[in-house]
Amino acid sequence: METVERLIRSTQELLWERGYVGTSPKAIQRAAEAGQGSMYHHFAGKAELAKAAIERSGAELRAAADVQLAGAGTAAERISGYLGRERDVLRGCQVGRLAADPDVVADPELRAPVAETFEWLRTRLAEVVAEGKRTGEFPDSLDPERTAATIAAVLQGGYVLARAAGSTEPFELAVQGLVDLLGAK
Amino acid sequence: METVERLIRSTQELLWERGYVGTSPKAIQRAAEAGQGSMYHHFAGKAELAKAAIERSGAELRAAADVQLAGAGTAAERISGYLGRERDVLRGCQVGRLAADPDVVADPELRAPVAETFEWLRTRLAEVVAEGKRTGEFPDSLDPERTAATIAAVLQGGYVLARAAGSTEPFELAVQGLVDLLGAK
């Protein structure tokens, strides 16, 4: 693998596990098996490399979500499929995790790819909910934009509750509860 | 204020803002206007002080939730009141925030008060949902334990989405979407 690619992937992993505050340039270089000179040859510093890593993580989240959301099946099936797909729950969301990071949230350059990823996700979910209203799968009273935000929030909050509990159970309960509510006409 | 109290409150603030990984003993001492000797006289180290601070934050979350959840009104009113109460959304949840912290999640002593707080919250919410089923406010098909997890997840995930967006809007949309779904009989 090329050095740039190793640097980006290692930074993605470290940001996911330790966050921006907890990730040092030294740790990145060690994980990427890259020298300090090599890292600074390709990137101006930790912030620029982190931005590239967050953009990559955002692209991965979108691709993974679209497997179900833009896949086959009715609107309700696609949303259930997306909610129920296999996830490493106790690891949490590699993008959502960054919203807890004060230095990411405070830096417009670092926050932008996080914001855009969830903006994209909520827009995509709202499209599927609107489609489900047209086909009569979802009640006409459902507001697509609100419902999309609720769906995205249940997943992100489910990760928080699961990590707090040290168990996937609260995540699964939260998702099942949402599926119940979405099914209630 | 007593030194112990200042140390605990300063640690609560720093954990909320910077997380455990991003909070140094020096920063605590500075914020608490306490010397190093004084801090280590009262607490064995950062971990013991953090445990006391997290326990305090958990107790505050429970007290704040019970203002609405154990207050006056029907079950549905109490849940809506809890969801809609004033919050510093962009600051996030001082307890939920810690679930993103690898050193908190990995340490059973530090994770325990986080786990217990959300366990308590989900139990309390499930009681109110069960009460609303008995009074006919909520449909009989609602599972209290699942619904409680969904409610807690929407709040925690709403904070994540809001901080990601740099705006309270996704939080408000997610909560409104949940209220809509809970209202659908």
Side-chain angles (χ1 to χ4, degrees):
Chain A
M1 215 193 305
E2 298 286 342
T3 308
V4 170
E5 184 64 19
R6 286 206 314 276
L7 284 165
I8 290 176
R9 291 202 194 173
S10 298
T11 306
Q12 283 183 280
E13 290 297 311
L14 284 163
L15 289 178
W16 197 350
E17 174 62 26
R18 307 286 308 165
Y20 188 80
V21 175
T23 295
S24 67
K26 267 273 160 281
I28 295 171
Q29 290 153 27
R30 208 160 33 227
E33 295 178 25
Q36 182 173 331
S38 171
M39 174 176 149
Y40 289 103
H41 172 71
H42 294 294
F43 297 96
K46 174 178 149 181
E48 192 180 296
L49 176 48
K51 186 168 155 53
I54 298 170
E55 283 166 354
R56 177 75 66 85
S57 295
E60 288 172 3
L61 185 148
R62 292 195 291 277
D66 256 350
V67 171
Q68 282 86 28
L69 294 179
T74 67
E77 283 166 359
R78 276 142 60 205
I79 286 178
S80 298
Y82 171 63
L83 286 169
R85 78 164 161 86
E86 204 171 315
R87 294 162 190 274
D88 191 349
V89 171
L90 290 180
R91 235 189 142 189
C93 172
Q94 64 175 326
V95 183
R97 186 258 176 272
L98 297 164
D101 221 310
D103 293 351
V104 171
V105 168
D107 181 335
E109 288 285 307
L110 293 178
R111 191 173 60 71
V114 180
E116 284 156 17
T117 299
F118 288 118
E119 182 82 39
W120 175 90
L121 179 63
R122 292 195 289 124
T123 303
R124 168 66 92 217
L125 283 166
E127 286 165 5
V128 183
V129 171
E131 187 188 319
K133 283 177 65 175
R134 282 196 300 275
T135 58
E137 292 171 83
F138 294 129
D140 214 42
S141 58
L142 232 54
D143 178 275
E145 202 190 357
R146 288 183 184 183
T147 309
T150 305
I151 294 168
V154 165
L155 290 173
Q156 292 300 318
Y159 289 126
V160 172
L161 298 177
R163 285 176 59 92
S167 154
T168 60
E169 200 198 5
F171 180 94
E172 287 152 13
L173 286 169
V175 165
Q176 288 164 355
L178 175 63
V179 170
D180 293 348
L181 288 170
L182 286 170
K185 287 223 183 184
Chain B
M1 216 193 304
E2 297 287 341
T3 307
V4 170
E5 184 64 20
R6 285 205 315 275
L7 283 164
I8 290 176
R9 291 202 193 174
S10 298
T11 306
Q12 282 183 280
E13 291 297 311
L14 283 163
L15 289 177
W16 197 348
E17 174 61 27
R18 306 286 308 165
Y20 187 81
V21 175
T23 296
S24 67
K26 267 274 159 282
I28 295 170
Q29 290 154 26
R30 208 159 36 227
E33 295 177 26
Q36 182 173 329
S38 170
M39 175 175 148
Y40 288 103
H41 172 72
H42 294 293
F43 297 95
K46 175 178 147 181
E48 192 180 298
L49 177 48
K51 186 169 155 55
I54 298 170
E55 283 168 354
R56 176 76 66 87
S57 295
E60 287 173 3
L61 185 150
R62 292 196 291 277
D66 256 349
V67 170
Q68 282 87 27
L69 294 179
T74 67
E77 284 166 357
R78 275 143 59 203
I79 287 178
S80 299
Y82 171 62
L83 286 168
R85 79 163 160 86
E86 203 172 316
R87 294 162 191 275
D88 192 349
V89 170
L90 289 180
R91 234 188 142 190
C93 173
Q94 64 175 325
V95 183
R97 188 256 177 274
L98 297 165
D101 221 309
D103 294 352
V104 171
V105 168
D107 182 334
E109 288 285 307
L110 293 177
R111 192 174 58 73
V114 179
E116 284 156 16
T117 299
F118 287 118
E119 181 81 40
W120 176 90
L121 180 63
R122 292 194 288 124
T123 303
R124 168 67 91 218
L125 283 166
E127 288 165 4
V128 182
V129 171
E131 187 188 319
K133 283 178 65 174
R134 282 195 301 274
T135 58
E137 293 171 82
F138 294 129
D140 214 40
S141 58
L142 233 53
D143 178 275
E145 203 190 355
R146 290 182 184 183
T147 309
T150 305
I151 295 170
V154 165
L155 290 174
Q156 292 300 318
Y159 288 127
V160 172
L161 298 177
R163 285 176 58 93
S167 154
T168 60
E169 200 198 6
F171 180 94
E172 287 152 13
L173 286 170
V175 165
Q176 287 163 357
L178 175 63
V179 170
D180 293 348
L181 288 169
L182 286 170
K185 288 222 183 184

